[in-house]
Amino acid sequence: ETVRWYRKSIEKIMSASSSSGSPTAKPPTTVTPRSSTTPSYPNPTVSSDPRFVAARHILSNLSTHLPGAPPPADRCEDAVSLFSVLLQECMTKHCGSDDHASESPLSARIHVALVQYEYGHAILRRADLAREADDSGGGGPESADADQALAVDQMKQAASIYESYLDSSDVPSAKFHPYAEHARCQLPRCLVGIGDAHLHSGRHGDATAAYLRAVPLREKAARDEGLGAGEKLKNMRLCAEAHALVADALLAAPPGADVTVSGGEDGDRDDGGGNKLLVAAAERIDYARG
């Protein structure tokens, strides 16, 4: 219903534009300006590639019954294939090759990050569908765990690029950091995606840690006074959602169990088994309450 509502809204806007005599609008490649006195910030050009748009559309409609369409698993595989091809093309175009991607400047890798996250998200959906098929007797998801690990890896790489891009300057400017606004919007999205992936695999501590990293970013966006009312309400909703995800991950852990984070994730206390203690079992409920 939400997708249908957006389509109708876009159709009304395009119809109004045509009736006023203005030329047909092209898909936007920039983020809406924060105010009339500040410049608009561009998105990576791959975001307007028809294959990128099509793959995102496929993923957003996997749960929708489409008469005559292939089953969700096949459609998801199509999305994975599209993002895989786009990722390879972006690597070649902006970084030269996979082997030299980490050595490429941030101005090049920022174009890859968006596709990496979407590719990881598509792989995660494929893993979820495989597990659902296994639960219903439709076959064993032999590669589901491998897909899960690959999805998290792709999302983490994207998040790392966005973090580095934002950290490369204390005050990002449109001239030298044209994709700063894009990175600022995408970083918490990547972190929430990583948290979702960990939560689906029962790694409640890692999920909590990822969600907690997204919270201050969502809070900062919610406090931004330079936005319109609609955008500000959206940021407030996303901020509330981030806090709810933290609580959900904590409460989903087994009763009486400490919430720990595996190596390489955030944590400040060792539980004696190599993992980092994030929240002790006795503190879990109070922590979830905020």
Side-chain angles (χ1 to χ4, degrees):
E1 290 298 326
T2 302
V3 172
R4 189 177 296 111
W5 182 86
Y6 275 119
R7 284 178 178 171
K8 289 182 178 179
S9 299
I10 293 173
E11 289 173 358
K12 289 180 180 179
I13 294 172
M14 298 297 291
S15 176
S17 175
S18 300
S19 62
S20 63
S22 59
T24 302
K26 295 180 179 180
T29 58
T30 59
V31 176
T32 302
R34 294 162 67 83
S35 72
S36 59
T37 59
T38 57
S40 56
Y41 293 86
N43 285 320
T45 53
V46 69
S47 64
S48 59
D49 188 295
R51 293 167 296 177
F52 182 89
V53 176
R56 289 194 66 177
H57 177 76
I58 290 172
L59 291 180
S60 66
N61 287 277
L62 282 181
S63 59
T64 303
H65 175 68
L66 301 174
D74 291 347
R75 282 183 276 157
C76 186
E77 193 63 44
D78 290 340
V80 171
S81 298
L82 286 171
F83 283 131
S84 178
V85 171
L86 279 173
L87 182 57
Q88 291 300 319
E89 289 184 5
C90 283
M91 287 284 192
T92 301
K93 178 179 179 180
H94 298 288
C95 303
S97 68
D98 291 358
D99 296 335
H100 298 92
S102 60
E103 303 171 4
S104 302
L106 287 170
S107 58
R109 284 186 284 155
I110 196 72
H111 293 272
V112 177
L114 180 60
V115 186
Q116 278 190 306
Y117 172 79
E118 296 294 349
Y119 179 49
H121 178 236
I123 293 172
L124 184 62
R125 295 296 299 274
R126 183 173 68 182
D128 289 341
L129 289 171
R131 291 192 178 98
E132 289 176 7
D134 182 50
D135 291 341
S136 60
E142 294 84 1
S143 62
D145 291 341
D147 272 354
Q148 183 93 16
L150 178 58
V152 172
D153 180 67
Q154 292 296 315
M155 293 179 183
K156 283 185 175 181
Q157 288 188 46
S160 178
I161 293 172
Y162 287 132
E163 283 182 311
S164 298
Y165 191 87
L166 291 173
D167 290 342
S168 61
S169 174
D170 292 334
V171 184
S173 65
K175 180 178 180 180
F176 297 107
H177 297 79
Y179 300 111
E181 188 69 12
H182 165 78
R184 197 172 291 114
C185 293
Q186 291 298 318
L187 177 54
R189 181 168 175 252
C190 288
L191 295 173
V192 168
I194 293 169
D196 290 345
H198 285 319
L199 191 63
H200 290 171
S201 60
R203 299 173 63 179
H204 305 96
D206 291 340
T208 302
Y211 293 144
L212 283 172
R213 290 174 62 196
V215 166
L217 301 173
R218 294 299 197 198
E219 289 178 338
K220 183 177 180 180
R223 292 193 300 266
D224 192 340
E225 299 296 336
L227 301 173
E231 192 68 18
K232 187 167 181 64
L233 285 172
K234 174 186 174 183
N235 288 343
M236 292 173 66
R237 176 183 62 80
L238 291 172
C239 180
E241 178 189 71
H243 283 283
L245 289 171
V246 172
D248 183 57
L250 288 171
L251 297 176
D258 293 334
V259 179
T260 60
V261 183
S262 60
E265 302 289 349
D266 292 338
D268 55 8
R269 289 178 288 178
D270 198 316
D271 68 351
N275 292 330
K276 295 294 184 178
L277 181 63
L278 187 65
V279 181
E283 304 169 355
R284 193 154 54 96
I285 301 300
D286 290 337
Y287 198 104
R289 288 173 177 166

